[in-house]
């Protein structure tokens, strides 16, 4: 029944995604490989396809494009949400978008039906997967060439949906699809039995951290003179939504852009525009680091993104020789993201992330909770903690992030959230780097911790971290 529902859903949506890549799908075991290739138009000798082959050998189960074959656009699979633990009403919001197939190393589409394997070894008990994730995909780093990638897929009954060489992971990252409904935790355990797989993770979902839908008081609260503020020529990467680069606040600010999900239409530009503007905006909505150069990677739509898309954006950011990466999003712990962050930090980049807006009892938010990432919580104009902020030992620093005026996709807006507190910290760090370009990421982190204004219990605490950012004191700090 589940398979019929998928095919029916795909048929209904096929007209919507006319431009997406498509392959004919058939389960007829009597077709030859040439007939299947002709159905999919993949044979090099397309002109040699006989009418019988093009029409499935006259079998009613596989017609040509005009004769009833079911075409499944690549984006169809992206529309299915995580399966509920027990029957629940259908979700009211669409599932988050996933990454497009990489153009750097495109993987061929499956050439025919995939038979679910039997008797596979489990190297470990089926893994319990926490957090939100794409229900029919896994991310795997593979030691070997494209042949090894395909052999693993064939052995385990998986689809190679994308593969590329990741700079920050230092190896090939493969996005495998699970076409037969096996749980992600089971597939991860099966993959662990193959020595060519190095890391195996769910394709986790991450969410932007905006809690609310005029002069920026942040300058005063972080002890930064707005007339002296400058991040001139400091290169900062921002991984976020699309932006309105025609907004006057971003004039001359955006040095480069990258779309990590080009096949997903941009509908919202507010969050990314606000983050960029708070960091380096110009004019009436001046940012904390005017003159900084923003390298903006669009990796979110509808407030959501997947691990695969975010890793693609991070790799692009690393290639831009940036000094700071701003990550105003939160999701579950994922070893691939942790490795990418660790390697980015080893390359000298300062990583700044939102602590999260999910409340005092929420689990740790990542990437903020990884070592080497500056986790930022949000405070208001009176240095009070934003009530919905995450808490925990990973919180590193506090910064203004409640009811601030910022640029947006509609001009300007009042914004609240740890996303925007993270942007304030990224801009402040750009000031430090502008003043002392040789200052290392470790030195900057130590200076921020040593000079923060203590707001909670003495010393570092789970609410405010080390305390409120004091950029004047941090600039004067000596090792």
């Amino acid at each position: 029944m589940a398979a019929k529902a998928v095919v029916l859903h795909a048929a209904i949506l096929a007209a919507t995604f006319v431009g997406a890549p498509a392959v004919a799908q058939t389960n007829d075991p009597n077709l030859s490989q040439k007939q299947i290739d002709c159905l999919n138009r993949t044979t090099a000798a397309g002109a040699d396809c006989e009418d019988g082959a093009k029409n499935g050998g006259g079998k009613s189960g596989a017609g040509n494009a005009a004769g009833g074959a079911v075409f499944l656009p690549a984006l169809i699979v992206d529309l299915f949400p995580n399966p509920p633990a027990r029957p629940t009403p259908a979700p009211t919001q669409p599932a988050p978008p996933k990454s497009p197939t990489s153009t750097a190393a495109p993987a061929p589409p499956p050439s025919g039906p995939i038979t679910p394997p039997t008797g596979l070894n489990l190297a470990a008990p089926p893994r319990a997967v926490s957090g939100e994730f794409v229900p029919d995909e896994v991310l795997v780093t593979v030691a070997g060439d494209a042949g090894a990638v395909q052999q693993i897929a064939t052995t385990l009954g998986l689809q190679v949906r994308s593969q590329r060489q990741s700079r920050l992971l230092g190896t090939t990252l493969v996005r495998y699809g699970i076409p037969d409904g096996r749980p992600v935790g089971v597939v991860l355990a099966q993959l662990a039995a193959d020595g060519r797989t190095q890391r195996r993770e769910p394709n986790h979902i991450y969410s932007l951290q905006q809690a609310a839908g005029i002069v920026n008081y942040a300058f005063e609260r972080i002890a930064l003179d707005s007339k002296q503020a400058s991040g001139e020529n400091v290169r900062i990467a921002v991984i976020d939504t699309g932006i309105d680069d025609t907004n006057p606040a971003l004039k001359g600010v955006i040095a480069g852009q990258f779309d990590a999900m080009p096949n997903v239409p941009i509908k919202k530009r507010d969050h990314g525009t606000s983050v960029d503007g708070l960091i380096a905006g110009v004019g009436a909505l001046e940012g904390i680091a005017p003159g900084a150069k923003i390298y903006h990677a669009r990796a979110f739509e509808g407030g959501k993104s997947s691990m695969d898309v975010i890793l693609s954006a991070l790799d692009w950011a690393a290639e831009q020789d940036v000094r700071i990466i701003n990550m105003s999003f939160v999701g579950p712990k994922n070893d691939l993201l942790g490795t990418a962050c660790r390697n980015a930090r080893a390359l000298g980049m300062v990583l700044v992330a939102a602590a999260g807006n999910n409340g005092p009892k929420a689990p740790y938010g990542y990437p903020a909770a990884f070592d080497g990432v500056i986790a930022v919580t949000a405070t208001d104009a009176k240095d009070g903690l934003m009530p919905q902020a995450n808490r925990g030992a990973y919180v590193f620093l506090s910064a203004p992030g409640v009811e601030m005026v910022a640029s947006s996709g509609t001009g300007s807006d009042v914004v609240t959230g740890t996303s925007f507190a993270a942007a304030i910290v990224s801009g402040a760090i750009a000031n430090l780097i502008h003043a002392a370009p040789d200052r290392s990421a470790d030195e900057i982190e130590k200076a921020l911790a040593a000079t923060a204004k203590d707001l909670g219990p003495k010393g570092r605490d789970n609410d405010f971290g080390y305390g409120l950012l004091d950029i004047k004191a941090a600039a004067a700090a000596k090792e």
Side-chain angles (χ1 to χ4, degrees):
M1 291 298 292
K4 291 181 179 179
V6 170
V7 173
L8 177 59
H9 193 68
I12 294 173
L13 292 179
T16 305
F17 299 99
V18 174
V23 293
Q25 306 293 304
T26 175
N27 293 318
D28 191 339
N30 297 312
L31 292 182
S32 68
Q33 183 61 49
K34 180 177 180 181
Q35 290 172 324
I36 292 173
D37 288 342
C38 287
L39 278 172
N40 290 325
R41 304 297 193 271
T42 59
T43 178
D48 296 335
C49 289
E50 301 175 356
D51 290 342
K54 292 181 181 178
N55 292 313
K59 297 181 184 296
S60 60
N64 61 18
V70 179
F71 282 77
L72 297 182
L75 191 57
I76 290 295
V77 71
D78 298 348
L79 304 178
F80 294 97
N82 295 346
R86 50 184 178 278
T88 59
T92 58
Q93 297 184 359
K98 298 186 310 195
S99 66
T101 300
S102 170
T103 57
S111 59
I114 293 179
T115 303
T118 58
L120 294 175
N121 293 326
L122 293 180
R127 177 171 163 186
V129 181
S130 61
E132 189 178 359
F133 58 93
V134 181
D136 65 341
E137 288 187 354
V138 291
L139 298 179
V140 183
T141 54
V142 174
D145 57 14
V149 170
Q150 188 57 54
Q151 288 171 8
I152 293 170
T154 301
T155 301
L156 295 180
L158 303 174
Q159 294 174 338
V160 181
R161 291 185 176 164
S162 69
Q163 57 181 300
R164 63 182 179 83
Q165 186 67 24
S166 169
R167 177 181 180 184
L168 290 176
L169 298 178
T171 186
T172 300
L173 177 65
V174 185
R175 180 165 60 100
Y176 285 115
I178 309 170
D180 55 21
R182 275 173 289 165
V184 164
V186 170
V187 173
L188 292 174
Q190 291 169 342
L191 282 161
D194 192 311
R196 293 168 294 185
T197 68
Q198 300 164 317
R199 292 187 175 89
R200 301 151 294 274
E201 291 290 330
N203 195 3
H204 275 123
I205 303 301
Y206 290 71
S207 303
L208 293 169
Q209 295 300 288
Q210 180 170 352
I214 47 187
V215 174
N216 188 343
Y217 65 86
F219 284 99
E220 176 187 357
R221 300 318 306 157
I222 68 172
L224 177 63
D225 186 341
S226 62
K227 295 180 181 179
Q228 296 181 0
S230 176
E232 187 175 0
N233 294 325
V234 177
R235 300 160 74 96
I236 305 172
V238 174
I239 299 174
D240 216 285
T241 66
I243 58 171
D244 176 13
D245 51 12
T246 67
N247 191 302
L250 299 186
K251 185 177 181 179
V253 171
I254 308 302
Q257 293 192 60
F258 171 70
D259 194 343
M261 47 201 312
N263 294 332
V264 180
I266 299 177
K267 296 181 179 179
K268 294 290 186 181
R269 305 172 187 266
D270 295 328
H271 195 278
T273 303
S274 295
V275 168
D276 286 1
L278 287 169
I279 293 173
V282 297
L285 295 174
E286 186 177 50
I288 296 296
K293 300 300 181 184
I294 301 291
Y295 290 80
H296 190 98
R298 180 243 179 172
F300 284 82
E301 191 56 55
K304 299 287 185 178
S305 185
S306 68
M307 186 74 279
D308 184 45
V309 171
I310 292 170
L311 287 171
S312 176
L314 277 168
D315 275 327
W316 176 81
E319 293 167 358
Q320 309 313 305
D321 192 28
V322 298
R323 292 294 304 274
I324 304 165
I325 299 180
N326 187 92
M327 299 178 287
S328 290
F329 52 85
V330 158
K333 186 176 182 180
N334 185 293
D335 183 57
L336 295 173
L337 180 59
T339 300
C341 288
R342 183 169 60 252
N343 290 341
R345 179 61 181 267
L347 290 172
M349 301 173 210
V350 182
L351 307 179
V352 180
N357 304 334
N358 300 312
K361 297 182 180 180
Y364 282 16
Y366 292 87
F370 286 124
D371 290 341
V373 179
I374 296 174
V376 184
T377 193
T379 51
D380 59 25
K382 296 182 179 180
D383 299 340
L385 187 66
M386 185 181 76
Q388 60 268 52
N390 285 33
R391 318 293 164 88
Y394 72 99
V395 176
F396 186 87
L397 202 63
S398 304
V402 177
E403 295 183 354
M404 294 189 300
V405 177
S407 54
S408 75
T410 56
S412 64
D413 202 356
V414 177
V415 297
T416 292
T418 57
S419 276
F420 310 112
I424 297 298
V425 171
S426 291
I429 293 171
N431 278 264
L432 294 179
I433 293 173
H434 171 69
D438 294 334
R439 214 169 194 182
S440 71
D442 286 344
E443 290 169 346
I444 289 170
E445 182 177 306
K446 290 177 181 177
L448 293 175
T451 61
K453 178 184 176 182
D454 205 347
L455 295 179
K458 188 175 181 179
R460 187 175 185 177
D461 63 77
N462 290 350
D463 293 349
F464 298 97
Y466 285 104
L468 181 66
L469 169 66
D470 186 331
I471 198 64
K472 183 177 180 179
K478 302 296 182 181
E479 281 295 308

